[in-house]
Amino acid sequence: MDKNTTESTINELFKEIDPITFSKLINVIDVDKYIKKLTAYKFLQLCIIAQLNELESLTKLAKHLKDKEELQTYLEFDAISTSQLSRKLGQLSPQLFEKVFKYLVLKIQGQMKNAPIIRNIGRLLVIDSTTMSMSLSQYPWATFRKTKAGVRLHLKVVVTKDITVPDQGIILPAKHADRTQMDELIEIDPNAIYLFDRGYVDYKQFDRLCREGVRFITRLKKNAEIEVLSERIPNPERLIYRDQMVILGNDRNHTKMTHPLRLIETVDSEGNPVIIITNCFDLSAEEIADLYRYRWKIETFFKWMKQHLKIKRFYGKSQNAVYNQIWIALITYCLQAMLQLKVNHDGPLLEIKRTLQNLLFKGFDCFVRSLFKKPIRTSNGRKKYHWEKDFETIVYQFEEGEVEHLDDLVYDPMFL
C-alpha cells in the first residue's frame, strides 16, 4: 500500500493531525532525539489504532502490529516490543496529547452546525465528571479513598441536535471533588447556558456566576435552605409544580446568597420530583425543564467512552501512562466525530468506529460506500420502529415529493 495515498481511510483519519501539524502543536524540541523508529507521532498513531480495536494491553498492540502487514507498511517498521511501548507511554508528557485534543476540539466546533436546541440560548454546555477506579496497591499516586485509588475525568461537552462533542477536559486524582473544577470549566460566555448536577452546588460559585453574567441550570440538594421571594402560577398540565424566585442559604452559616435564583419543580421520566435551580429568568419553566434533561447527554458520552474505548483498564501504572491513555482515547473519539461530520453521517458514532475497524487500510471511497450502504433486508420490528418514531417526517417528505414511495424512506440509511 502506498503510504502517501491521500484517498486511504487511515490517511483521512489522521488528516487533521499529520506529522507537521503534530510537531507544531506539541512545540517540544528534541522530543524524538535519538529515536529512529517509534517517534512520538507514530506512537500516537499506534495508540489510536489500539483504541479503535479496543486492544487490552500493549502486548496485544505489539502482536497486532506484527500480524498486520498494512500497518507495518504504513508506519514503515514491522515490529515493536512491549517494553518499548511501555517506556514511551510513561516517558511522554500528557500535556503533549492534551494539546492535540484541544486542537481537534476547535476543529470539530468549526465544522459543527450549532443550531440552538431551544430558541435564544446559544450554546448548550454540560459539565460533569467520571471516575475510573483502580487498585490502591498498584496506583498509589491516584489518591481517592482509603481502600481504593482512582482518577477522575472532569469534562465539558457541547450539545447540539446532531452531535455531542467534548469541549474541555481536566484529568486529576479522584479525590478532587467536582465543584473544585468549576473555575476551570466554566468560562464567561453570555451566549451559553451551563448544565451540571448537584455535585457542583456551591453558593459562592453561584453568586460569582450571577455577577459575571454566566447562565446555568442545575439541581438543588434536598437539605437546601430556601427563602421564597415571589411565586408564579405553576402549570401541572406541563409537569411544572413550582416556579419561584428564591434566595438560597442562611445567615447562620454565612452561606446566604446575595443574588436571587429561580426554583422550578418538575418530575423525571419515572415521576420522581426534580428541583431545578437556575438564574435564567427569560426562559419559560417548561423550556428550563426540557433543557435540564439534556444533562444526560454527558452521561451517555461517558458510557460510550467506557464501552467502546479503553479507559477502564490501563496499559501502564504510572501517572503519565494513565493520563496519556485517557487523552489518546479522547483524541480517538474526536477523530471519529470529525469523520462523521465530514461525510454527513446521521447514524450512531459506533457505525463509524466499526467501519474503521474493518476498512482502515482500504480506500476512503470504500469506507463511505460501506457506511451508507442500504441493508438488503429490514426486519419487521425495525420497520415498525421507524414508522412509529419518524411517522411525521415520513409523511411530510412523501407529501413534499422528496420520495416517490414510502418504502424508500423506511430503508433510507438516515433512519437506520
Side-chain angles (χ1 to χ4, degrees):
M1 190 190 84
D2 184 1
K3 176 181 179 297
N4 296 316
T5 302
T6 57
E7 292 82 8
S8 64
T9 301
I10 191 168
N11 272 289
E12 287 295 332
L13 180 68
F14 291 120
K15 192 171 186 179
E16 296 297 339
I17 46 169
D18 57 44
I20 296 175
T21 303
F22 178 77
S23 179
K24 290 179 179 179
L25 285 173
I26 64 173
N27 194 26
V28 177
I29 299 175
D30 296 334
V31 67
D32 293 321
K33 190 175 184 180
Y34 306 124
I35 302 297
K36 295 183 179 179
K37 187 162 60 172
L38 190 61
T39 63
Y41 179 69
K42 290 185 177 180
F43 175 75
L44 172 62
Q45 290 180 304
L46 266 175
C47 288
I48 290 172
I49 290 169
Q51 289 286 344
L52 286 173
N53 290 280
E54 300 180 50
L55 301 181
E56 294 289 336
S57 65
L58 294 179
T59 300
K60 291 189 176 181
L61 176 56
K63 183 69 166 63
H64 186 80
L65 172 61
K66 184 179 179 181
D67 294 342
K68 290 284 185 178
E69 291 185 6
E70 303 101 323
L71 183 56
Q72 296 170 14
T73 303
Y74 182 79
L75 295 175
E76 298 180 334
F77 58 84
D78 57 6
I80 201 75
S81 69
T82 303
S83 59
Q84 286 176 292
L85 290 169
S86 180
R87 282 196 300 272
K88 200 75 172 182
L89 185 64
Q91 288 173 356
L92 290 174
S93 169
Q95 293 179 351
L96 305 184
F97 301 117
E98 183 180 1
K99 290 177 181 178
V100 176
F101 166 71
K102 290 180 177 178
Y103 169 78
L104 291 177
V105 164
L106 292 176
K107 296 290 290 186
I108 292 174
Q109 293 183 14
Q111 297 177 16
M112 287 170 57
K113 299 174 182 178
N114 289 312
I117 291 174
I118 293 179
R119 60 173 179 84
N120 301 327
I121 68 161
R123 296 205 307 164
L124 187 62
L125 303 169
V126 188
I127 63 173
D128 204 350
S129 71
T130 188
T131 300
M132 282 68 75
S133 297
M134 305 167 171
S135 167
L136 185 59
S137 61
Q138 294 186 11
Y139 301 88
W141 54 268
T143 52
F144 186 22
R145 295 174 181 166
K146 290 183 178 180
T147 58
K148 66 179 179 179
V151 295
R152 184 170 291 172
L153 171 61
H154 303 265
L155 200 67
K156 175 169 61 178
V157 301
V158 181
V159 176
T160 69
K161 291 181 178 179
D162 301 318
I163 192 170
T164 300
V165 296
D167 182 81
Q168 183 182 354
I170 302 169
I171 306 172
L172 292 170
K175 70 174 183 179
H176 296 275
D178 289 345
R179 64 177 181 273
T180 63
Q181 303 308 308
M182 291 180 73
D183 285 337
E184 294 293 328
L185 292 174
I186 299 180
E187 301 172 347
I188 300 175
D189 185 352
N191 296 317
I193 291 181
Y194 286 87
L195 307 181
F196 43 85
D197 206 356
R198 288 174 291 189
Y200 294 88
V201 169
D202 185 320
Y203 295 167
K204 290 183 179 179
Q205 288 282 5
F206 290 176
D207 266 329
R208 177 183 69 84
L209 297 179
C210 290
R211 286 195 303 271
E212 295 175 350
V214 178
R215 298 190 293 171
F216 65 90
I217 302 172
T218 185
R219 287 182 67 180
L220 193 61
K221 292 184 177 180
K222 293 181 180 179
N223 61 351
E225 294 196 36
I226 303 168
E227 177 186 342
V228 179
L229 302 180
S230 64
E231 187 166 2
R232 301 182 185 182
I233 299 174
N235 188 356
E237 292 182 358
R238 302 296 298 274
L239 303 181
I240 303 299
Y241 302 100
R242 271 196 290 170
D243 187 357
Q244 302 169 333
M245 181 183 292
V246 301
I247 289 286
L248 300 182
N250 60 65
D251 291 322
R252 299 189 310 276
N253 299 328
H254 306 288
T255 59
K256 190 169 184 177
M257 289 186 60
T258 58
H259 292 81
L261 296 177
R262 188 176 179 187
L263 184 150
I264 295 168
E265 180 178 352
T266 183
V267 293
D268 61 19
S269 58
E270 298 178 354
N272 301 314
V274 176
I275 307 298
I276 297 173
I277 204 77
T278 180
N279 61 354
C280 297
F281 290 93
D282 56 328
L283 300 176
S284 70
E286 292 85 356
E287 287 175 329
I288 291 170
D290 288 342
L291 280 174
Y292 186 74
R293 291 184 174 91
Y294 282 96
R295 198 200 67 81
W296 289 102
K297 287 284 189 177
I298 197 168
E299 300 290 350
T300 56
F301 176 88
F302 287 142
K303 183 178 180 181
W304 197 98
M305 290 280 294
K306 289 184 175 181
Q307 285 183 336
H308 304 300
L309 296 172
K310 303 307 293 183
I311 60 170
K312 292 173 66 177
R313 181 174 177 178
F314 294 99
Y315 297 154
K317 293 182 172 58
S318 69
Q319 182 170 326
N320 273 9
V322 171
Y323 286 10
N324 282 337
Q325 186 172 335
I326 296 173
W327 285 122
I328 292 172
L330 288 167
I331 289 169
T332 306
Y333 181 94
C334 289
L335 291 175
Q336 293 173 91
M338 292 182 76
L339 270 185
Q340 186 173 37
L341 289 169
K342 180 173 183 175
V343 301
N344 197 26
H345 178 253
D346 292 330
L349 187 63
L350 188 57
E351 287 186 21
I352 299 285
K353 181 177 184 292
R354 288 173 175 167
T355 310
L356 282 172
Q357 287 176 330
N358 296 329
L359 303 174
L360 186 61
F361 295 97
K362 302 295 183 180
F364 189 59
D365 56 342
C366 179
F367 170 84
V368 174
R369 284 199 305 272
S370 176
L371 199 61
F372 288 97
K373 185 178 180 180
K374 296 181 180 181
I376 297 175
R377 57 179 296 181
T378 304
S379 68
N380 290 332
R382 175 170 284 187
K383 287 182 182 179
K384 180 179 179 182
Y385 170 80
H386 291 297
W387 274 105
E388 291 175 349
K389 182 178 179 182
D390 301 301
F391 180 77
E392 292 183 2
T393 304
I394 291 171
V395 171
Y396 173 81
Q397 294 194 10
F398 179 72
E399 290 177 346
E400 293 294 315
E402 295 180 18
V403 292
E404 294 181 6
H405 304 287
L406 293 181
D407 283 344
D408 293 342
L409 190 55
V410 174
Y411 288 96
D412 193 306
M414 289 180 62
F415 290 89
L416 300 180

